[in-house]
Amino acid sequence: MTKSGRPDTPHGAERFNEERATYVVKGSQPDLEGGVAAIREVLATLKPKPGVYRMLDARGDVLYVGKARALRNRVANYTQVDRLPLRLQRMVSQARGMTIVTTNSEAEALLLEAQLIKRFRPPYNVLLRDDKSFPFILLRADHDFPRISKHRGARRAKGNYYGPFASAGSVNTTINALQKLFLLRSCNDSFFSRRDRPCLLYQIKRCSAPCVGRIDAAGYAELVGEAKDFLGGRSSAVQAKLNQQMDHAAAALDFETAAMLRDRLRAATFIQGSQAVNAEGVGSADVFAIAKLSGQFGVQAFFIRSGQNWGHRAFFPSHTDGLDEAEVLTAFLAQFYEEVPPPRLVLVDRELPEAALLEEALAGPAGGKVEISIPQRGDRRRLMEQASRNAVEALERRQAESGAKSKIWREMTEFLDLGEAPQRVELYDNSHVQGAHALGAMVVAGPEGFIKGQYRKWNIRTAQTNDDLAMMREVFGRRFARVQEEDPDRDGGMWPDLVLIDGGKGQLGAARDVLEELGIEDVPLVGIAKGPHHGREGREVFHFPDGSERMLPENSPLLFHFQRLRDEVHRFAIGAHREKRSRAISASPLDEIPGIGPARKRALLLHFGTAGKVRAASLEDLQRAPGVSGAVAQAVYDFYHPGG
């Protein structure tokens, strides 16, 4: 019996109860009778309660996650294999155990099911393959002069959140226009507190400069209130007020103020006019339409808040064999709202088999009743028709791009003499400045594009000089020694089918030597070096372990594909290096002292001025520093004076 995992939720112990968990039997070959026997063993322990079940293979990996109103009845269906579709028969043939989690209701089971699907990504569940969190606009409420900014991730900061937006680009465009419209600050609190004169944003009329008193708290609060009204859907009232103020300024011959108000009105018009989707009369809603083409599904989503379109995005769920559009859309919505807060209205283009259950499950995260509706007429119907057209067009573009990618992938396989098309390609590069802050980087690509969740970076430990070959040896040694330990049977999907190295014969030789030392001889290695003239026109030279070299013709689509792969590993390596260098620049010597956190470090620096003066201070001086206890003072003194 293996240990079963609890759901990753802060109150999981209160809401969910693990019952008799996992039964694992030996053998990894598909065996329908063995799978049914393992399920029946668990079935004997189940009760007709709501909950979630996980089907496990012989290794304990999750094959499928499902929910049930009555666990005993639902799991019993899997023992009647003649009634199961082929997809689920294959799943049962691989099943060797189950994990059961009971819940208080079917709605809770639906939420937990979506959470576990995103956590385990089982091969027999519909998967929403989109790892990006959605951006929001945050208007902070914990400062006298609130800041407007883009926000991703957990919403812990106090303030008003507006979103979700479909992309970072749509958020940035909106924030830029809002700065022109309401002159709100976007700088962080540290920058704000250090200013003694206005920054450039004030000069270009995108900030009211509260940092240096160019506007008082009451005036700034009025701007914040207008921004909340505008983002909350009362844009016409804000525009009318600005228009009235502009007329008064012009009548008083204050043309400078009138011109500034005119520019703010233009910014408001830009925000509304830049929306490609007409969302008038809709209020706040998410709009979803699904399309199917050649066995593949595409879902188009529009995000409407307070009558304003905040962007749209297409999604392409996977693992959808044997399912219809309504089943895929239901599974998609459950996973989509696992992280995104739902609005009170969700518009869909067809009847969903579990619409009432979805509404019940989403009511908690939404803070009130959620309605899932099919628009029949008017603005909502026209918006749904537009979403449906976009879903079809996005799916057609996706399939056209996939066809082009498949052709490139086949050409790459032939050019590199691989035998079969690689499913996982790893690219490696190093980044440093004369050996300082050196790190190695790996990006991963597959037939569908870059797999950013698999990117990795390594801080170089041993090679402290400007030695690219030593750095490459260290990176390869650490990477492949670990994958040998964690996935020795090579069935975990972490072994590359092809390794591309940014560099020539030297880097390729260093990587080859490391793999030979580890006893790895079947991973194809190729080095990509710039041609004699460098740059894209230089036609990259491809180096192979046997010493041969090849080049591709100019303007070859395959050459452009390799350059794109190389540019991506460059981008990732350089970005990681810059981040590491920035942290080193902003680091303080006090960070090295055990037990000294941000508050005590700040107290020491405020009292002494610099880290150097802290180091030179006597024990008595350290003890007199405000906010520093005697024990802390002794720890700081002992750190800098180990001999006493």
Side-chain angles (χ1 to χ4, degrees):
M1 183 176 294
T2 63
K3 185 178 180 181
S4 58
R6 287 190 175 274
D8 291 335
T9 175
H11 306 292
E14 302 169 12
R15 296 177 56 200
F16 306 113
N17 172 42
E18 290 275 2
E19 289 197 344
R20 191 175 175 191
T22 311
Y23 300 83
V24 178
V25 299
K26 295 182 180 180
S28 58
Q29 296 298 321
D31 179 1
L32 195 57
E33 292 183 0
V36 171
I39 293 173
R40 281 178 174 158
E41 185 178 357
V42 179
L43 181 61
T45 70
L46 296 183
K47 300 176 182 179
K49 292 182 177 180
V52 174
Y53 57 92
R54 281 175 263 171
M55 294 288 186
L56 309 175
D57 65 10
R59 296 180 56 194
D61 294 335
V62 179
L63 294 169
Y64 181 79
V65 176
K67 58 155 179 46
R69 180 183 304 167
L71 282 167
R72 178 191 293 169
N73 301 342
R74 182 71 184 91
V75 173
N77 292 337
Y78 292 101
T79 64
Q80 303 173 20
V81 292
D82 294 339
R83 300 181 181 181
L84 297 177
L86 289 177
R87 168 174 159 271
L88 293 184
Q89 288 185 21
R90 290 196 301 270
M91 185 266 292
V92 171
S93 71
Q94 298 176 47
R96 296 295 182 271
M98 294 182 68
T99 298
I100 304 298
V101 181
T102 60
T103 61
N104 297 320
S105 67
E106 191 180 6
E108 280 190 4
L110 177 65
L111 295 175
L112 178 59
E113 177 194 38
Q115 180 184 354
L116 294 177
I117 289 173
K118 295 199 75 171
R119 175 182 170 191
F120 293 110
R121 309 192 72 80
Y124 288 96
N125 283 100
V126 174
L127 295 184
L128 168 57
R129 288 199 172 275
D130 192 286
D131 297 328
K132 295 181 180 177
S133 60
F134 286 86
F136 287 74
I137 287 178
L138 169 60
L139 191 55
R140 296 289 293 265
D142 53 359
H143 196 281
D144 292 337
F145 298 96
R147 171 194 181 195
I148 190 170
S149 62
K150 178 176 66 178
H151 178 84
R152 285 188 188 269
R155 300 191 293 169
R156 298 189 182 95
K158 294 181 179 180
N160 299 88
Y161 293 84
Y162 302 93
F165 286 79
S167 66
S170 59
V171 169
N172 294 335
T173 300
T174 303
I175 287 180
N176 287 338
L178 288 172
Q179 285 180 287
K180 297 176 184 177
L181 176 55
F182 299 111
L183 309 179
L184 301 180
R185 74 178 182 97
S186 59
C187 58
N188 59 45
D189 294 346
S190 176
F191 184 85
F192 178 89
S193 63
R194 296 198 307 265
R195 298 302 299 179
D196 54 12
R197 58 189 179 88
C199 67
L200 181 61
L201 290 178
Y202 174 78
Q203 306 297 334
I204 62 175
K205 296 181 174 58
R206 286 178 54 183
C207 181
S208 54
C211 54
V212 292
R214 297 299 172 92
I215 186 173
D216 60 16
Y220 194 84
E222 184 177 354
L223 294 177
V224 171
E226 292 176 354
K228 291 179 179 178
D229 289 342
F230 189 89
L231 291 169
R234 296 179 289 277
S235 56
S236 57
V238 174
Q239 288 175 286
K241 180 179 179 180
L242 289 173
N243 193 63
Q244 185 180 20
Q245 291 175 344
M246 183 181 68
D247 291 342
H248 289 164
L253 304 182
D254 186 358
F255 298 117
E256 183 176 354
T257 301
M260 181 188 69
L261 292 167
R262 177 203 62 202
D263 293 340
R264 292 177 63 188
L265 274 170
R266 287 177 177 172
T269 305
F270 170 81
I271 294 175
Q272 295 172 327
S274 63
Q275 298 171 2
V277 176
N278 182 13
E280 293 182 5
V282 178
S284 295
D286 286 344
V287 183
F288 298 96
I290 188 169
K292 183 178 182 181
L293 186 62
S294 301
Q296 188 175 10
F297 292 88
V299 178
Q300 181 69 49
F302 290 162
F303 306 116
I304 312 298
R305 295 297 181 270
S306 304
Q308 301 179 30
N309 170 40
W310 283 358
H312 53 90
R313 184 187 291 186
F315 302 86
F316 305 97
S318 60
H319 301 177
T320 56
D321 293 345
L323 302 178
D324 61 25
E325 289 92 331
E327 291 174 305
V328 173
L329 186 56
T330 300
F332 168 86
L333 291 175
Q335 293 181 49
F336 179 83
Y337 287 119
E338 199 273 325
E339 291 184 356
V340 177
R344 298 296 182 87
L345 177 62
V346 178
L347 300 178
V348 295
D349 65 341
R350 65 194 66 237
E351 291 285 349
L352 301 182
E354 296 182 322
L357 180 60
L358 267 174
E359 289 175 340
E360 181 184 353
L362 297 181
K369 182 180 178 181
V370 172
E371 178 187 0
I372 298 177
S373 173
I374 305 173
Q376 302 296 330
R377 60 184 66 87
D379 294 332
R380 294 183 179 182
R381 182 62 190 174
R382 287 190 289 272
L383 185 60
M384 181 58 69
E385 290 172 352
Q386 187 174 359
S388 297
R389 289 194 303 271
N390 276 265
V392 173
E393 293 169 0
L395 192 52
E396 289 175 344
R397 288 194 301 270
R398 167 108 171 167
Q399 293 193 346
E401 292 171 359
S402 297
K405 289 178 180 176
S406 298
K407 181 180 178 182
I408 287 291
W409 221 248
R410 289 194 301 270
E411 291 179 358
M412 180 175 69
T413 304
E414 295 173 2
F415 175 71
L416 300 178
D417 296 330
L418 296 179
E420 60 181 18
Q423 298 302 305
R424 179 185 174 96
V425 178
E426 295 181 356
L427 302 95
Y428 292 84
D429 189 19
N430 298 325
S431 185
H432 60 92
V433 176
Q434 296 297 315
H437 312 303
L439 58 79
M442 176 190 78
V443 306
V444 182
E448 296 299 319
F450 293 108
I451 310 173
K452 296 193 175 182
Q454 299 292 327
Y455 287 15
R456 295 292 182 268
K457 56 188 177 183
W458 295 268
N459 290 318
I460 302 297
R461 299 170 180 167
T462 58
Q464 300 298 326
T465 60
N466 188 12
D467 188 343
D468 283 329
L469 303 187
M471 294 178 188
M472 189 63 69
R473 281 192 290 269
E474 178 178 338
V475 168
F476 266 71
R478 291 165 63 183
R479 156 67 178 144
F480 284 93
R482 179 166 182 174
V483 76
Q484 273 187 321
E485 177 183 351
E486 296 181 350
D487 189 15
D489 297 329
R490 302 196 183 190
D491 53 5
M494 301 307 294
W495 281 81
D497 302 310
L498 171 65
V499 170
L500 299 177
I501 300 166
D502 181 50
K505 296 179 180 179
Q507 286 84 352
L508 180 66
R512 181 194 59 214
D513 293 343
V514 171
L515 295 187
E516 288 179 352
E517 292 172 3
L518 294 172
I520 302 171
E521 300 178 352
D522 55 349
V523 174
L525 294 174
V526 179
I528 306 178
K530 293 180 179 179
H533 303 292
H534 294 275
R536 289 188 177 274
E537 294 75 21
R539 296 176 57 192
E540 279 74 0
V541 179
F542 297 86
H543 298 271
F544 293 82
D546 61 2
S548 62
E549 300 177 2
R550 299 178 193 174
M551 297 180 70
L552 285 165
E554 291 184 27
N555 300 322
S556 164
L558 181 56
L559 176 60
F560 296 149
H561 177 68
F562 278 121
Q563 290 171 341
R564 181 166 175 259
L565 296 177
R566 182 203 60 200
D567 291 346
E568 174 66 4
V569 73
H570 278 177
R571 180 201 64 79
F572 182 63
I574 292 172
H577 175 256
R578 286 174 176 167
E579 181 183 352
K580 181 180 180 181
R581 194 173 62 211
S582 297
R583 288 198 305 267
I585 291 173
S586 60
S588 169
L590 301 181
D591 295 336
E592 302 175 4
I593 305 176
I596 300 298
R600 287 167 174 164
K601 183 175 71 172
R602 189 181 307 111
L604 288 168
L605 291 175
L606 286 174
H607 183 74
F608 290 100
T610 66
K613 291 182 179 179
V614 175
R615 179 180 186 132
S618 65
L619 178 59
E620 292 75 13
D621 291 336
L622 291 169
Q623 292 171 339
R624 283 194 291 267
V628 177
S629 65
V632 171
Q634 188 68 54
V636 173
Y637 185 81
D638 292 344
F639 181 81
Y640 286 123
H641 305 83

